[in-house]
Each structure stands twice: as C-alpha cells, then as structure tokens.
Amino acid sequence: MSGEFSLIDKYFAHKQQNRKDVILAQGDDCAIVAPTAGSHIAISTDTLVAGTHFLADANPAQIAHKALASNISDLVAMGASPAWVSMGISLPEINTAWLERFSNAFFKLADYYGIQLIGGDTTKGPLTITLTVQGTLPEGKALTRHGAQSGDWVYVTGQLGDAKAGLDVILENNISADTSLNQELQRRHFEATPRVLAGIALRDIASAAIDISDGLVADLGHILKRSKVGARLNVAALPTSKELLQFVGSRALAQQYALTSGEEYELCFTVPEANRGQLEVALSNTPFTCIGQLTGTEYIELHNDDAPVDWQLDGFDHFKGNQ
Amino acid sequence: MSGEFSLIDKYFAHKQQNRKDVILAQGDDCAIVAPTAGSHIAISTDTLVAGTHFLADANPAQIAHKALASNISDLVAMGASPAWVSMGISLPEINTAWLERFSNAFFKLADYYGIQLIGGDTTKGPLTITLTVQGTLPEGKALTRHGAQSGDWVYVTGQLGDAKAGLDVILENNISADTSLNQELQRRHFEATPRVLAGIALRDIASAAIDISDGLVADLGHILKRSKVGARLNVAALPTSKELLQFVGSRALAQQYALTSGEEYELCFTVPEANRGQLEVALSNTPFTCIGQLTGTEYIELHNDDAPVDWQLDGFDHFKGNQ
C-alpha cells in the first residue's frame, strides 16, 4: 500500500506535536497511548457520507470541521476532555487540492481542542469519513443520559436554530433576500463548535447531558427515555438569535427551528434544584438558558408561557429520507 | 435518527456481555472504558470498501470476518490483547438478511477474541465499514516496527500464500480443475485468523513484529525501513502448503505467492540470537519458521538455498490499481 501510505504521510501524518500521553502515533500497526491512572476513557464514532451528510462538492474545509466538531461534541456531552482521534477516510481519487484544504482545516480544529490524530486508514472508495474520538475524564464523573430526575431543570447552551437556517440556505430550501444574512447563517452552520469547557465544568453539576446533534426535541428525548422522565418546555424561553427571527419571519417559526435544528453542538443538560447556584458560577463564561423542567410523565409537553402549544415536530432520520 | 438507532439496536447493541473494563457500552453519547493501571492502549483503524476490498455481493459473514480479523491482526502485531471495538458502517439500504448474517459473524469472531463492540454509527451510503479496535498491553511492552537490528533472525508464523490463491479463485483469475481444492483455498482466504496468543507471547522475545496484510515483502519492508536494516531471505525456507503447490503447479510460483500474498494475518517478526531458545518454548503451540536474517543493507535480498533469485515482486496498492 505504498501509494496509500505516502498519501497519508503527506497530508495526515505527524502534522501535530505528540501529546504527552501518546507513546506512538502513526507509522506502526497501531498507535499506543498511555492513559493517566484513575482516568476513564470516553469513545465515540461518527461516520459522514457524501450525499447523505454533506454535498459531494461541499467545501473540504467545512467537511473536515463538521466531521471533527460533531465527534468532539459527543465527548463534550460526556464531560470528557478531547485526547485522541483516529480517521478512516475513503476517497474516490487522490485530489491534492481537496486533501490540502481538508487536512488543514482538520488540524486547525484538532490543535484548537488539543486532540491528536494518532492513526487511520485511507482507502479508495466513495467519499466517506469515519472518526473515532477519545477523551479522558476522572473515574465515575461521566455525564450520562440516564441520570436525570423529575424536578430537575432543563438547560441549553448558546442559541438554537441558526444551524437549520444555515442548512436551508445551503440546500436552497429557503433563502432570504438579504445576502449577508444568508451568508452569516451559512457560516454559523459550518462553524458551530463544541462547548468543551462547559462540558468539563458540568461534570459535578448536571444530572444528565447530551449534545444537540439531531435537534433539541430528539436529543432531549434520548435523555428522557434513558432516565424515564418527561419534560415541560417553555418555547418562549428558547434562546434564538435576531438573525434567525429575521430569516424565518415569525417568533413561532424561530422557536420551531430551535426545537428541531440539528448539528448545533450546543449542550442540553439537566440540573437538580440544589445545584442551580453552582451552575451560575461554573458556566460564567458560557451563555446558557433554562428552558423548562423535568416531569414524571414520559413525554415532552410544550407551552408558550401560559398558552398550550400543539406543533408537529420530527427528528432527523436518514433512512426515512427527511434529511 | 430513530430509524438508524433502532437498526443499530436490533443488530449490534448489547449482543455481548460487558467486559469488566467497560463501564458504558452503546446507548449514550460515548462509550466509557476503564483501563487497568499501568496498561497502555494500542489503537488501530481499518476501512473496508465494497468494490475495493471485497465484491459488493460478497457473503456478509465473510465481510464481517475480514473486517474484524484484519483489525485484530494489527493489535496482535503490537503484542496487544484485544479489548474494544467501535464500528462505523454505511449501508445503501436496510437489508435485514444481510445485517443478520453480518452481525452474527461479527459477534462470533468478537466473542472468540474477547473483544467487545462498545459503539458506532450506522449511516446510509455506499457499503463501507470502518473499525477502530483497541487492545491493552503492559506499559513499554509494545512490539513495534523499529526495534529490529542487523543479525536478528526473521520468522513467520503459519504458512504463506494460501490467501492469495484463495483470492485467485474468488476473482476467477486462476482456478484449478480440482473443485474441492478451489473451495479449500477460498475458505482459507476468508477464514484466516490472527495469532493473538503468539503476539502476546512474543512481547518479551521479538525485537520487531508486523502482521502480513499486504504481503511478506511489503510488510517486512516496513520493519526494515523503520529499523534501518536489510534482510536476506531464503525462499526455499518459506512455509507453504501442499494445497498451494498443487494449485500453482511449481515450487517457484508457490514461493512467489508466499512472498506477496496479503491478508494472511500471520505474523512476521524478528528475534535476536540471544532469544531464539526462549522462542521455542514461548511459541510451542504456534507453527513458525525461520526464513532469513537481517543485514546491514537497507533492502531485501532473496536466495534459494545457495542460488541467487531475481524475481520482480510488487506490493498491493489500491491507487495504483494493481489489486
């Protein structure tokens, strides 16, 4: 596989300084890492396929950002610190300009998060990227989906809905007459970044957490299912941007975007009443909003301050075709 | 992604008992594992693509076996004990019969090696499988490619060449008139299994090791390059099966198959003179053969007992198209 290896070598191998816990990176049968005593390892795998998760002619820098950011977002949702990443990538041909842009963007984000590419495999095939990321966290401190309890408060970081509006622009489903607004929303779609510090800060505070990758309703639904609780959410409290309101034209629509927008890389987390004070201190540098409270039911109930809300909302499902 | 999740759940989730070091397997944002204090972790990623690594209509059980075996083989070549595996899989459609056969074969082999599927991602797309396997090994005991020295002896486990003959049968490049011989070689191609116990036993004995996935010449070449040594190999010593000789019809051709046959999952390793006695004891249950010695040159020199050999041999290279 000399052709493949030289390809990997040129664009992917040894572009970063070795982390102290990396004994051996690329170039052997395996990478070798040395976990710190007492630490657990969080591991997540995501696959992105051209035509399913991004357009085949999408900007390679944006594909790289999305692939790595979505994986790191899973680490963040467990409260883990990003450490190592392995990449399996299939390419229809060796396109050096594409590889250059892809790898530059990949390493820019990897360096930002202190995560090291330790190995991988490059093969010929339809454009597909599978990353396995690993992060470390103190033993017993993982933020899971099953720890939430009725009465806990529901929070989200940042603002929701912009990623979906950006996708509208990309797919030309819905475009504003304001070109700079379109560009800004598209940029937010591609440049969303995981809340690593917030995830780490929440380890001792949150009862459950998840990253918003499929949309708030779908992702909060995973917490509810695993924790066997329900939620009552106030749509009027959903944090949305003025750009989103301008783009969709009505508050109700902006709220619906906030409920279903995926690939936000914001966190949804639950906090027991007793920890709410600590939360204000721990997340002093991250915007966050309380959007509701967990209930003893097993479903999500929406209200708009005092008025009931009856919207039909779907999650995101590749096989059902409603991407 | 409810459709995808239910798909993963049915065929892949919680089909195995939790290993003691797996704190959380599928069902959350990440899996969580707890490495033993003092152990290092070996990590390897391999991607298999339909049309590149296997025929699109290949038997799904054989695809699963190949995907997992080739990855475990990389762990073995480092002397690691298989522990955890993550899978990214793209499928063009939900074919339940295919998934059933694929997952059954996957778990059969995973259970055999005590490796647990801890997570993954299933997406819609061209058939592609990326596995990231992880294994544990005592700190500082990894078998690398860079430890070989001039004067060390070169060994291989098992017999070489059958996998290439089996591939000939599958691709209908070269078929024997003897149907049962064809079937047996095809079976050996698909059912080759990594030498896990040999890899572990070699930790304190071998100076370098690699698994034979691209062919002996290509893989030994990686050791030579990393260790800055050469090798003198006796082709008459290459271990080949009587079935291979029958299939190819001449000793010289059987030896050429042994030098270039990939996906064997046998080990090639080097041993200092001082450790040769230990080797006989440590590998008492694994067939192995000394095929030559390392030299101070940086190339591979072939001889046939006392006669020189001048064969043109190529490795396997997807992008060069000579698969």
Side-chain angles (χ1 to χ4, degrees):
Chain A
M1 291 201 227
S2 56
E4 290 178 69
F5 282 121
S6 58
L7 171 74
I8 295 174
D9 275 352
K10 184 158 177 200
Y11 294 97
F12 295 113
H14 308 297
K15 295 281 186 179
Q16 295 177 287
Q17 291 240 318
N18 265 9
R19 286 171 54 99
K20 281 185 186 163
D21 55 13
V22 173
I23 309 297
L24 198 63
Q26 296 111 321
D28 213 303
D29 296 298
C30 295
I32 304 280
V33 300
T36 313
S39 72
H40 280 180
I41 299 175
I43 305 160
S44 175
T45 295
D46 267 337
T47 295
L48 296 187
V49 183
T52 301
H53 301 89
F54 56 84
L55 303 176
D57 63 353
N59 179 337
Q62 290 167 342
I63 298 171
H65 182 101
K66 179 171 180 166
L68 188 54
S70 66
N71 264 283
I72 289 177
S73 186
D74 287 320
L75 292 179
V76 171
M78 300 298 285
S81 304
W84 319 301
V85 56
S86 309
M87 172 162 48
I89 181 167
S90 301
L91 301 164
E93 57 180 355
I94 298 183
N95 177 333
T96 55
W98 192 96
L99 278 164
E100 180 101 19
R101 293 169 70 198
F102 180 91
S103 60
N104 284 345
F106 184 89
F107 287 115
K108 185 178 166 194
L109 195 64
D111 286 341
Y112 178 78
Y113 285 113
I115 192 167
Q116 185 180 343
L117 181 68
I118 52 169
D121 192 12
T122 305
T123 60
K124 188 172 184 175
L127 181 55
T128 304
I129 301 145
T130 294
L131 298 184
T132 295
V133 294
Q134 304 199 58
T136 57
L137 75 178
E139 197 176 323
K141 291 289 187 190
L143 291 170
T144 64
R145 297 179 181 177
H146 60 261
Q149 299 204 319
S150 176
D152 291 354
W153 297 90
V154 182
Y155 289 84
V156 292
T157 58
Q159 293 180 317
L160 302 179
D162 288 354
K164 183 174 166 72
L167 189 63
D168 279 356
V169 174
I170 296 158
L171 299 177
E172 301 184 356
N173 280 340
N174 178 14
I175 298 185
S176 164
D178 181 341
T179 311
S180 69
L181 178 63
N182 290 333
Q183 284 172 348
E184 174 60 18
L185 289 166
Q186 189 168 344
R187 191 191 63 74
R188 291 184 190 182
H189 176 89
F190 284 121
E191 296 179 12
T193 48
R195 301 276 187 187
V196 173
L197 296 178
I200 294 169
L202 287 171
R203 279 177 194 160
D204 292 311
I205 295 171
S207 53
I210 195 166
D211 64 310
I212 302 178
S213 53
D214 297 335
L216 175 62
V217 166
D219 291 314
L220 176 58
H222 293 308
I223 290 182
L224 302 184
K225 191 175 172 191
R226 296 295 301 273
S227 300
K228 298 192 169 61
V229 290
R232 184 173 153 81
L233 302 184
N234 182 5
V235 300
L238 289 167
T240 52
S241 70
K242 66 179 194 306
E243 289 80 4
L244 177 64
L245 183 60
Q246 191 186 338
F247 184 80
V248 297
S250 82
R251 252 193 110 196
L253 211 46
Q255 290 159 351
Q256 290 180 24
Y257 269 53
L259 290 167
T260 57
S261 178
E263 302 166 38
E264 293 278 354
Y265 311 137
E266 297 294 351
L267 290 173
C268 172
F269 58 96
T270 59
V271 176
E273 177 66 35
N275 292 351
R276 291 183 87 182
Q278 262 186 284
L279 177 66
E280 301 293 329
V281 181
L283 291 199
S284 57
N285 290 318
T286 306
F288 64 96
T289 311
C290 182
I291 59 168
Q293 193 171 15
L294 298 183
T295 64
T297 67
E298 293 198 6
Y299 53 86
I300 297 178
E301 183 191 346
L302 301 178
H303 63 104
N304 188 343
D305 288 335
D306 291 330
V309 168
D310 185 21
W311 294 335
Q312 290 300 315
L313 302 166
D314 270 327
F316 179 92
D317 187 334
H318 300 309
F319 284 109
K320 285 186 181 158
N322 58 337
Q323 52 164 303
Chain B
M1 291 201 225
S2 54
E4 290 178 69
F5 282 121
S6 58
L7 172 73
I8 295 174
D9 275 352
K10 185 159 175 200
Y11 294 97
F12 295 114
H14 308 298
K15 295 278 186 181
Q16 295 177 286
Q17 291 239 319
N18 264 10
R19 285 170 55 98
K20 281 184 185 165
D21 55 12
V22 173
I23 308 298
L24 199 63
Q26 296 111 320
D28 213 304
D29 296 299
C30 294
I32 304 281
V33 300
T36 313
S39 72
H40 281 180
I41 299 176
I43 304 160
S44 175
T45 295
D46 267 337
T47 295
L48 296 188
V49 183
T52 302
H53 301 88
F54 56 85
L55 303 175
D57 63 354
N59 178 336
Q62 290 167 343
I63 298 171
H65 183 101
K66 180 171 181 166
L68 188 53
S70 65
N71 265 284
I72 289 178
S73 186
D74 287 320
L75 292 179
V76 171
M78 301 298 284
S81 305
W84 320 299
V85 56
S86 309
M87 171 162 50
I89 181 167
S90 301
L91 301 166
E93 56 181 354
I94 298 182
N95 176 333
T96 55
W98 192 96
L99 279 163
E100 180 102 19
R101 292 170 70 197
F102 180 91
S103 60
N104 284 345
F106 184 89
F107 287 115
K108 185 179 164 192
L109 196 65
D111 285 341
Y112 177 79
Y113 285 113
I115 193 168
Q116 184 179 345
L117 181 69
I118 52 170
D121 193 11
T122 305
T123 59
K124 188 173 183 174
L127 181 55
T128 304
I129 300 146
T130 294
L131 297 184
T132 295
V133 294
Q134 304 199 58
T136 58
L137 75 180
E139 197 176 322
K141 292 289 185 187
L143 291 170
T144 63
R145 297 179 181 178
H146 60 262
Q149 298 205 318
S150 176
D152 291 354
W153 297 91
V154 182
Y155 289 84
V156 293
T157 57
Q159 294 180 315
L160 301 179
D162 289 354
K164 183 174 167 71
L167 189 63
D168 278 356
V169 175
I170 296 158
L171 298 177
E172 303 183 355
N173 280 341
N174 178 13
I175 297 184
S176 164
D178 181 340
T179 313
S180 68
L181 178 65
N182 290 333
Q183 284 172 349
E184 174 59 19
L185 289 166
Q186 190 169 341
R187 189 191 64 75
R188 290 184 191 182
H189 177 88
F190 284 121
E191 295 179 12
T193 48
R195 302 274 187 189
V196 173
L197 296 178
I200 294 169
L202 288 171
R203 278 177 195 160
D204 291 311
I205 295 171
S207 53
I210 195 166
D211 64 309
I212 302 178
S213 53
D214 297 336
L216 175 61
V217 166
D219 291 314
L220 175 59
H222 293 308
I223 290 182
L224 303 184
K225 191 175 174 193
R226 295 295 302 273
S227 299
K228 298 191 169 62
V229 290
R232 184 172 152 81
L233 302 185
N234 182 4
V235 299
L238 289 167
T240 52
S241 69
K242 65 179 195 307
E243 290 80 5
L244 177 63
L245 183 58
Q246 192 187 337
F247 184 80
V248 296
S250 82
R251 253 193 110 195
L253 211 48
Q255 289 159 353
Q256 291 180 23
Y257 269 54
L259 289 167
T260 56
S261 178
E263 302 167 37
E264 293 277 353
Y265 311 136
E266 297 294 350
L267 290 173
C268 172
F269 58 96
T270 59
V271 176
E273 177 66 35
N275 293 351
R276 290 183 87 183
Q278 261 186 284
L279 177 66
E280 302 292 330
V281 180
L283 289 199
S284 56
N285 290 317
T286 306
F288 65 96
T289 310
C290 182
I291 59 168
Q293 193 170 16
L294 297 183
T295 65
T297 68
E298 293 199 8
Y299 54 84
I300 297 179
E301 184 191 344
L302 300 179
H303 63 103
N304 187 345
D305 288 335
D306 290 332
V309 167
D310 185 21
W311 294 335
Q312 290 299 316
L313 302 166
D314 269 328
F316 179 92
D317 188 333
H318 300 308
F319 284 107
K320 287 185 181 159
N322 59 339
Q323 51 162 307

